[in-house]
Amino acid sequence: MLKRLFSERPLRLPHIKPYVPRPSDPSIFWFNSERGDIVSDVVNRICGAHETDRSRLEIALNDAAFHEIRRLEHQRDEEARDRLGYWRSMIRRIGKMDDAEQRQALHTIVSNMAHDVAGNFDPRVYRFARQAIPRLVAGVMEPRRFASSFTAPQSEVLSRVLRVQGDIDHLQYLQSEGSLVFVPTHSSNLDSIVLAQALEVSGLPPVVYGAGKNLFTNPIISFFMHNLGAYRVDRRIRVRLYKEVLTLYSQVMIERGYHSLFFPGGTRSRSGMIERHLKLGLLGSAVEAFTTNRVRRVQRPVWFVPTTINYALVLEAETLIRDWLTEEGQTRYIIEDDEFSQIDRWVAFFRKVVGMRGACIIRFGEPIDPFGNAIDEKGASLSPAGRNIDPGGYVERRGTPVVDATRDAAYTRELGTVLAERYERDTVLMSTQVVAHVLYRHLVQATPGMDLFGRMRLRSEVSIDREVVHKDLGDARERLLALEAKGEVRVSDVVREDSPNELLEAALQFWNGYHTSTAASLDGDRVLLCDPSLLLYYQNRMVSFADRIADTDQMEAACEIEALGVHR
Amino acid sequence: MSLRVGVVGAGGFGQAIASAAVRQRHDVVLWSRRERSLPDSIRPSTAIDNMEDRDLIFLAAPARHATSLADQLGKVVDGRHLIVHVSRGLIGAELKTITTVLREHTAARRLGALAGPLVPNALAEGRPSGAILGTRFPEVTEMVREAIGGSDLRIYDTTDVLGVQLASATVGFLTVVLAYAQETGVEPSTLAVLATRGMVEISRIGQALGASEETFMGLAGLGDLIAAVAGDERAESLVGRALARGAELASAVAEAGAYVEGIEVAQNMIEQAHRLGLETPISSVFVEISSRRMTPEDAMHALMERRVGPE
């Protein structure tokens, strides 16, 4: 009941005196004063697009009623008891409604959806969160220093665990000149929290982002999510109008200059691989925002910041890889029972990573315009030859900027391809991933002809001479450094600087004691492969580099590993 | 409204496109490396800068020149420009398409590939014909139809840009094979089997690389092949026949008087197919024949001896 109360109506703090934003405040501080206007804008544009065509309007209403009835009948919860009657009545009446009644019904549905999606931004919650959350996390990580963590001026613990890379000065300049859209890789539900922290320590402004409604079931997380500008995305809703509301909401926010964040992978990478096929809906909203502004003669640039979030240890690794390996995992979109929802796993996770060097690296890649072009230090778009070009030219038709959804969908598709390339190039390979790859490759070599699932059953059955592992780690590292020199990938400092022995020890230490079973362990002078599914998860980050770091005698196994990524 | 059309490359196709656009009363500039005498209605140019004010640019040059021409175009074009190429080639071992090269070397994004049973003479003279345009941008289709389409040229469109380019390039090679077979006097039924199985072979490779089977069975693939077999006198057919008469590959190409992209594509296509785990019996055998490592009789024997299964 309490859960539902918070998830349906997130708690807001009472306002005694409204906060008046200062000119130096980030754009999100203006959000509350504009929220009503933004919601109206979304509702009016969607209703306007449907109202001129009765058949389109009728299809939209039927689609909404059909999908909502199906969802609620399946859910059988309090929401179903409240709303099922409304939709059943609606589907019976649609055909009998006159034009005005249909338009009114559409307006009511879209308006409800837009209000449900729209977030809130409370500067008081923001100030509290930026002060308290890093210290709270630091306190959990190091209980002995819990008290001092709240008085220390800067959380040393967090800065040791979380490293931020990229041209921060450039991003700081751009944030005052246009709308930034951060588009990170997605591995964990911790991503949005970690990224918010990375923005904070980098002096970058807070961003608006869509959070799955499942994250709002925890009342504390729901409170922070809701009051820090997050908009709610209910992935159970299949209604076409709802998708239109979501993308248009995102578009309107970007049009108005709010910095945004969305995960183009759509959901956490179940396999652990770097995302290649991206969902284009929200990316398209940013491209359309640029176009709409140009048509209205608003010269506000939109820049995308490809970002990689790289963990040596992933909070939900076991659930994610299990999901990927089962048929259910192919379709299961929302997981409510993973490690993210278990506070003891959080504590175990943070305690594990605090003592380790380089546990998480956020890398902000070079920003690009909506058409995949690099930009210079002032934000001007550059051609491949390095010439300044006007991005407005892309949306012109014989000299005039025009809105064209089909054209912009084609641009978005191209942008998705560029982002996937950037992800690969800007991924920072971590100790656990490199070690897991070398060990998993041995497993493949030791089991020729065996399929993936056969290998997953080989728990603690294969071991490798430690000296062989050291040699292979050294060779793999040398090849990765050569790839890094060519700009094809990046490696963490631990991978770059530590000896193969230290690298192996670091990875084993990360795995040991956090996951319910360790991925690998030492057994005298041999390395025992304990949990092949965990090894698979961590090594999957490296599938696209497998053949580039293999010896001739390892090539067959490397190609087999690379083939895992073909349909990702 | 008159369009500003640019054509890069003054070979047969470049001049034919320029003539077709002039016939539609558009303002046409044709760029070539060296000065040429052209009809008064076509403005010649040797300065790539003259492409800057064009609405639509046709790149009509062999694939081997595409990278350097794209590099030059990259100095003058931007997001406003629409570029369509008519090359039948692919570049390098990874079979890079010309649209990819244009994407890498220029800021233009609204790109297209024009292919199918389109031959320069018919286009230049306005004889009824058809073509396929691969592009994801409807405005590219619209502008190309306006520039050179009309009652004598039907231009169909598809969003399978990759498929159009792969089909066009690989059919070029298949044309050489069929012309060779025709010249050696094979039976019509043998020719039919060779053509059909050849199409299946290249279509499988295309699909493995991400193209659609339908594209191979449409104008870019099968349509183009029918035109070639029917005898539209394209260079690939001349090379095939010369090879069958015993000419060396180099002299066969010289005899055809035009650059044949298909031969170059074949070897890279075979290697790529093998990496993807696909068989290429017809292509592999023909590469052996053209390099004189296999006699036509042995080739036929090798193909006929293969295990036969469901179609």
Side-chain angles (χ1 to χ4, degrees):
Chain A
M1 184 65 192
L2 189 67
K3 255 188 176 181
R4 181 153 188 262
L5 180 72
F6 279 105
S7 69
E8 292 305 306
R9 294 181 188 80
L11 185 66
R12 290 185 193 167
L13 298 178
H15 273 285
I16 299 157
K17 187 179 159 199
Y19 178 78
V20 180
R22 291 173 302 218
S24 58
D25 282 338
S27 56
I28 187 80
F29 277 59
W30 271 262
F31 174 70
N32 276 14
S33 60
E34 288 195 333
R35 187 179 51 223
D37 204 20
I38 290 167
V39 168
S40 298
D41 198 359
V42 170
V43 174
N44 291 340
R45 285 201 218 176
I46 292 180
C47 290
H50 286 80
E51 283 173 359
T52 51
D53 182 347
R54 186 180 159 97
S55 66
R56 189 177 170 200
L57 172 56
E58 207 165 300
I59 289 168
L61 292 174
N62 273 304
D63 174 80
F66 171 76
H67 284 290
E68 280 300 84
I69 290 169
R70 203 155 76 157
R71 174 175 76 90
L72 294 168
E73 281 178 346
H74 180 70
Q75 268 179 225
R76 293 165 173 261
D77 59 2
E78 280 181 60
E79 189 192 2
R81 276 192 289 281
D82 288 351
R83 301 293 297 163
L84 203 48
Y86 169 80
W87 287 111
R88 281 178 174 156
S89 158
M90 165 75 70
I91 206 163
R92 281 196 299 271
R93 289 185 291 117
I94 292 169
K96 297 172 196 156
M97 290 176 179
D98 63 24
D99 288 359
E101 286 170 329
Q102 285 194 345
R103 283 200 294 271
Q104 183 55 47
L106 178 78
H107 192 274
T108 305
I109 293 168
V110 173
S111 185
N112 286 343
M113 287 175 171
H115 277 102
D116 188 61
V117 164
N120 185 55
F121 185 83
D122 190 325
R124 293 168 297 171
V125 178
Y126 172 66
R127 286 201 195 91
F128 172 77
R130 64 186 293 202
Q131 294 295 322
I133 289 178
R135 290 176 163 79
L136 188 67
V137 171
V140 171
M141 288 173 176
E142 287 192 314
R144 280 172 299 168
R145 295 192 201 164
F146 194 84
S148 64
S149 68
F150 280 83
T151 52
Q154 178 75 34
S155 169
E156 290 172 14
V157 176
L158 265 190
S159 59
R160 198 162 71 227
V161 173
L162 173 68
R163 295 276 306 278
V164 181
Q165 299 180 349
D167 190 348
I168 306 299
D169 291 345
H170 193 198
L171 295 177
Q172 282 172 344
Y173 172 79
L174 295 175
Q175 61 94 12
S176 60
E177 302 293 313
S179 302
L180 292 180
V181 181
F182 291 88
V183 277
T185 54
H186 196 9
S187 306
S188 165
N189 277 336
L190 284 178
D191 287 353
S192 44
I193 299 168
V194 168
L195 195 65
Q197 188 59 29
L199 293 172
E200 168 66 22
V201 299
S202 307
L204 292 167
V207 292
V208 176
Y209 60 100
K213 206 167 178 174
N214 54 317
L215 296 181
F216 287 80
T217 52
N218 176 319
I220 298 170
I221 295 173
S222 169
F223 171 77
F224 282 106
M225 288 277 184
H226 182 73
N227 288 294
L228 293 174
Y231 55 96
R232 292 198 295 177
V233 181
D234 190 340
R235 295 195 180 104
R236 297 167 306 178
I237 301 178
R238 301 285 176 200
V239 177
R240 210 179 308 152
L241 280 172
Y242 185 70
K243 288 176 187 158
E244 286 180 34
V245 167
L246 281 176
T247 48
L248 194 54
Y249 182 83
S250 167
Q251 179 183 325
V252 170
M253 294 295 281
I254 296 166
E255 280 173 22
R256 289 170 179 246
Y258 291 100
H259 306 302
S260 292
L261 155 74
F262 37 77
F263 296 102
T267 180
R268 287 171 291 173
S269 169
R270 296 292 194 270
S271 61
M273 292 179 203
I274 304 166
E275 295 101 320
R276 190 181 283 171
H277 296 295
L278 306 179
K279 298 210 184 314
L280 304 176
L282 286 177
L283 273 186
S285 73
V287 176
E288 293 251 352
F290 174 84
T291 304
T292 307
N293 275 347
R294 280 299 173 127
V295 170
R296 292 172 173 173
R297 307 285 172 195
V298 176
Q299 302 287 320
R300 181 180 293 127
V302 174
W303 296 298
F304 290 82
V305 186
T307 304
T308 59
I309 304 178
N310 309 277
Y311 298 101
L313 191 68
V314 176
L315 177 72
E316 312 99 312
E318 285 167 294
T319 306
L320 293 172
I321 192 66
R322 194 170 57 235
D323 229 40
W324 187 64
L325 287 168
T326 57
E327 198 177 346
E328 187 190 12
Q330 310 302 314
T331 52
R332 200 158 75 127
Y333 206 51
I334 306 158
I335 310 176
E336 290 185 337
D337 53 354
D338 64 16
E339 295 86 338
F340 186 75
S341 60
Q342 301 161 20
I343 217 71
D344 59 322
R345 302 307 298 150
W346 279 56
V347 173
F349 175 81
F350 282 121
R351 284 193 181 164
K352 171 55 68 180
V353 298
V354 72
M356 308 297 292
R357 191 159 59 101
C360 177
I361 299 172
I362 303 264
R363 181 168 185 85
F364 294 118
E366 291 159 16
I368 51 178
D369 74 9
F371 312 99
N373 295 302
I375 57 171
D376 70 10
E377 71 279 6
K378 296 289 178 197
S381 294
L382 298 171
S383 74
R387 206 162 40 90
N388 276 7
I389 51 170
D390 174 16
Y394 290 97
V395 298
E396 284 179 12
R397 195 181 177 87
R398 301 187 191 189
T400 309
V402 291
V403 172
D404 180 337
T406 313
R407 176 201 63 203
D408 290 349
Y411 282 139
T412 305
R413 198 180 149 125
E414 298 220 347
L415 180 63
T417 307
V418 174
L419 285 180
E421 288 165 7
R422 291 297 189 93
Y423 285 163
E424 197 157 299
R425 199 176 95 180
D426 281 329
T427 284
V428 183
L429 294 174
M430 313 294 271
S431 58
T432 46
Q433 294 155 356
V434 177
V435 172
H437 175 70
V438 165
L439 297 181
Y440 188 79
R441 193 174 62 197
H442 270 289
L443 178 65
V444 174
Q445 284 181 297
T447 54
M450 190 178 277
D451 70 7
L452 179 68
F453 296 95
R455 288 184 184 126
M456 293 303 104
R457 286 192 287 272
L458 296 178
R459 288 172 165 262
S460 302
E461 288 184 30
V462 175
S463 67
I464 308 145
D465 188 288
R466 191 169 171 169
E467 288 304 314
V468 174
V469 174
H470 288 170
K471 182 190 174 300
D472 286 357
L473 276 175
D475 292 348
R477 191 248 304 277
E478 287 311 307
R479 293 194 175 103
L480 284 171
L481 291 176
L483 292 180
E484 188 181 42
K486 288 194 279 180
E488 294 180 23
V489 73
R490 293 175 188 276
V491 298
S492 71
D493 288 346
V494 176
V495 173
R496 182 180 297 105
E497 293 161 6
D498 284 11
S499 70
N501 182 39
E502 289 166 333
L503 202 54
L504 176 64
E505 298 264 354
L508 296 180
Q509 210 177 331
F510 264 118
W511 289 323
N512 186 27
Y514 169 66
H515 294 305
T516 49
S517 62
T518 187
S521 65
L522 292 177
D523 181 14
D525 59 355
R526 299 187 72 78
V527 181
L528 185 63
L529 312 189
C530 303
D531 186 341
S533 63
L534 272 178
L535 285 176
L536 177 71
Y537 177 81
Y538 284 101
Q539 81 89 37
N540 270 348
R541 208 73 178 164
M542 298 194 44
V543 289
S544 48
F545 310 105
D547 68 331
R548 285 178 270 173
I549 61 167
D551 268 339
T552 317
D553 60 332
Q554 296 157 343
M555 194 53 80
E556 201 175 328
C559 287
E560 202 176 322
I561 290 170
E562 203 183 3
L564 289 170
V566 169
H567 299 295
R568 78 178 118 136
Chain B
M1 192 175 136
S2 171
L3 285 174
R4 289 166 298 188
V5 176
V7 181
V8 173
F13 245 120
Q15 293 196 37
I17 288 169
S19 301
V22 163
R23 210 166 45 246
Q24 303 287 345
R25 301 183 187 285
H26 298 303
D27 169 30
V28 181
V29 174
L30 191 151
W31 176 92
S32 65
R33 284 182 204 278
R34 54 181 191 277
E35 288 185 8
R36 289 179 184 258
S37 79
L38 297 165
D40 289 345
S41 48
I42 302 173
R43 271 194 288 148
S45 170
T46 53
I48 203 78
D49 294 2
N50 286 327
M51 291 294 134
E52 193 173 353
D53 69 345
R54 303 288 93 187
D55 301 308
L56 172 65
I57 299 168
F58 287 95
L59 177 63
R64 61 189 165 141
H65 300 311
T67 306
S68 66
L69 288 173
D71 219 26
Q72 290 190 58
L73 276 173
K75 293 173 187 151
V76 293
V77 301
D78 58 28
R80 291 171 295 130
H81 293 92
L82 280 61
I83 307 181
V84 170
H85 80 86
V86 294
S87 166
R88 288 177 182 274
L90 300 166
I91 299 169
E94 71 270 43
L95 302 179
K96 195 182 273 188
T97 61
I98 308 300
T99 51
T100 305
V101 171
L102 287 167
R103 174 78 178 68
E104 288 172 352
H105 291 260
T106 76
R109 296 288 177 275
R110 286 178 276 190
L111 305 171
L114 188 67
L118 192 60
V119 286
N121 288 347
L123 182 61
E125 292 161 19
R127 298 201 300 264
S129 185
I132 178 82
L133 176 65
T135 180
R136 294 204 184 95
F137 295 89
E139 55 209 302
V140 173
T141 307
E142 196 181 296
M143 208 176 269
V144 169
R145 282 184 183 142
E146 190 179 338
I148 59 171
S151 57
D152 48 16
L153 178 62
R154 294 179 67 78
I155 301 173
Y156 295 84
D157 64 288
T158 172
T159 55
D160 184 12
V161 189
L162 173 68
V164 165
Q165 295 174 91
L166 290 176
S168 180
T170 50
V171 160
F173 171 68
L174 199 54
T175 302
V176 180
V177 177
L178 296 182
Y180 180 99
Q182 275 181 307
E183 187 70 14
T184 55
V186 299
E187 297 285 324
S189 64
T190 314
L191 196 67
V193 173
L194 205 54
T196 311
R197 298 311 299 169
M199 278 306 297
V200 171
E201 189 172 308
I202 60 175
S203 167
R204 274 189 195 142
I205 299 169
Q207 287 174 71
L209 292 170
S212 158
E213 184 184 9
E214 286 169 10
T215 309
F216 279 79
M217 295 306 151
L219 281 173
L222 193 58
D224 198 16
L225 190 67
I226 290 171
V229 174
D232 66 2
E233 291 306 307
R234 63 181 69 180
E236 286 88 347
S237 302
L238 301 179
V239 169
R241 279 185 224 138
L243 284 172
R245 289 194 298 269
E248 294 274 354
L249 182 58
S251 59
V253 170
E255 194 180 315
Y259 182 68
V260 176
E261 316 223 40
I263 298 281
E264 206 169 292
V265 167
Q267 191 57 48
N268 292 329
M269 180 191 77
I270 291 166
E271 284 168 18
Q272 186 73 259
H274 292 174
R275 268 198 293 275
L276 294 164
L278 299 171
E279 293 186 334
T280 55
I282 296 173
S283 313
S284 298
V285 158
F286 191 74
V287 166
E288 294 297 300
I289 294 176
S290 62
S291 55
R292 302 278 180 101
R293 290 192 294 264
M294 195 181 245
T295 64
E297 294 75 23
D298 289 343
M300 185 60 78
H301 188 68
L303 289 174
M304 296 305 285
E305 282 294 300
R306 280 175 53 80
R307 190 172 56 82
V308 66
E311 191 178 27

